Amino acid sequence: QVQLVESGGGSVQAGGSLRLSCAASGYTYSTYCMGWFRQAPGKQREGVAIIGNDGSTSYADSVKGRFTISKDNAKNTLYLQMNSLKPEDTAMYYCAADPWVLSCTLARRTDFGYWGQGTQVTVSS
């Protein structure tokens, strides 16, 4: 059974940094398309960053140059390094994975079948 567990969220002032982690288990981690999504109160869940099994990545325009997605296949862990955080980055952040995405870096929220429970990120001004 696929399990995704996020950690690393918290409260930080604008301009600060956080690193989110997503520990994965129950599947062949390295072959999956994986991504980070976020959902702010009253808004739809949106894509933040995606990484394919070949290491290719894509980012939402709002986080380009500030966030970096990476993964450690040996540790079955996905990361999201978030720098220069802004109040508008405040949201619940979710890790997602799926083995059947054809074009990983173009994947949408509905393409992912496995989700973690989320970790809260709050950025104050």
Side-chain angles (χ1 to χ4, degrees), residues 29-75:
Y29 172 82
S30 62
T31 65
Y32 276 47
C33 176
M34 300 194 71
W36 288 98
F37 292 75
R38 66 186 181 187
Q39 188 167 17
K43 295 187 177 181
Q44 287 191 334
R45 192 171 298 187
E46 63 176 4
V48 175
I50 292 172
I51 187 165
N53 57 9
D54 61 354
S56 57
T57 59
S58 64
Y59 296 89
D61 288 343
S62 58
V63 306
K64 282 181 181 177
R66 300 189 297 123
F67 290 11
T68 302
I69 189 171
S70 63
K71 60 179 182 174
D72 185 330
N73 290 338
K75 295 182 178 181

Side-chain angles (χ1 to χ4, degrees), residues 1 4 15 32-33 35 42 44 52 70-71 84 87 89-90 99 101-102 116 121:
Q1 183 177 357
L4 303 171
Y32 276 47
C33 176
Q44 287 191 334
S70 63
K71 60 179 182 174
S84 302
D89 294 319
T90 295
V101 178
L102 294 180
V121 171

